[in-house]
Amino acid sequence: MIKKINLAILLLIISVSLPAYAGTFSDKVGDFTFPAIGIAAALPALEGSKGFPEAARRYDGVLVALSVTGLLKECVHEWRPDRSDDKSFPSAHTAAAFAVAETLSEEHPKDKWLYYGLAALIGWSRVESDKHYWRDVAAGAAIGYTSGKWSIESSDGILIGKVFRW
């Protein structure tokens, strides 16, 4: 299982770094964030019913992180560095990445450096592509880590497990 996750993530990294794609490396990392998170969170469920609770906990962490960041974006109204809109604080990409990194590292502690490294790469890409400030990324990382930790420590998950019993 862990080999599949690592392979899927590495293939996505390779695909965004090919020169055939337009944009900078940091833009490409930002573009692949949510597909990579979706793949990483879904893989246990694809292995059968025994993997569904793990996938649900991963999605719980991501859903909570995205909900919190969405609420804060609506309340804070901080302009992005590129001035494209006033929804900079906090970084939702980083929050989602750290939520998945925390759940994966709890399940596979030997590979946590890989998951947190990729989450940090996503945070870096948001600053480098002029979409966020470092404070946005730091807040997103804290929200994501906390959401992921909460979802893993909850026996039924936070949201999904309360609706679907396994």
Side-chain angles (χ1 to χ4, degrees):
M1 175 60 197
I2 193 64
K3 302 273 188 232
K4 291 179 192 175
I5 293 171
N6 291 345
L7 180 62
I9 292 171
L10 290 174
L11 286 174
L12 283 168
I13 290 172
I14 291 167
S15 71
V16 298
S17 32
L18 294 174
Y21 292 96
T24 65
F25 177 74
S26 60
D27 290 331
K28 293 180 218 173
V29 169
D31 292 343
F32 96 90
T33 300
F34 288 112
I37 289 168
I39 289 169
L43 281 175
L46 298 176
E47 289 190 335
S49 61
K50 289 185 178 182
F52 184 75
E54 288 80 14
R57 282 196 215 35
R58 290 183 198 173
Y59 278 119
D60 272 355
V62 172
L63 289 173
V64 169
L66 292 177
S67 298
V68 170
T69 57
L71 180 64
L72 285 170
K73 285 175 183 287
E74 292 300 320
C75 294
V76 174
H77 295 288
E78 181 180 318
W79 283 94
R80 294 181 185 273
D82 66 359
R83 306 298 283 172
S84 60
D85 67 33
D86 65 346
K87 305 272 191 279
S88 181
F89 183 85
S91 169
H93 282 79
T94 308
F98 272 87
V100 170
E102 174 55 22
T103 58
L104 285 172
S105 66
E106 288 286 328
E107 294 169 19
H108 310 287
K110 287 184 177 181
D111 293 319
K112 72 177 170 181
W113 64 269
L114 172 67
Y115 307 127
Y116 281 112
L118 290 170
L121 175 67
I122 289 166
W124 166 84
S125 77
R126 305 309 292 159
V127 174
E128 186 66 22
S129 62
D130 217 25
K131 298 295 182 191
H132 287 284
Y133 298 101
W134 280 111
R135 63 183 172 260
D136 305 336
V137 168
I143 291 166
Y145 172 82
T146 303
S147 303
K149 187 65 123 175
W150 184 25
S151 71
I152 282 293
E153 290 178 353
S154 176
S155 62
D156 287 333
I158 304 168
L159 306 169
I160 298 172
K162 305 291 186 212
V163 176
F164 301 103
R165 298 285 177 211
W166 42 75

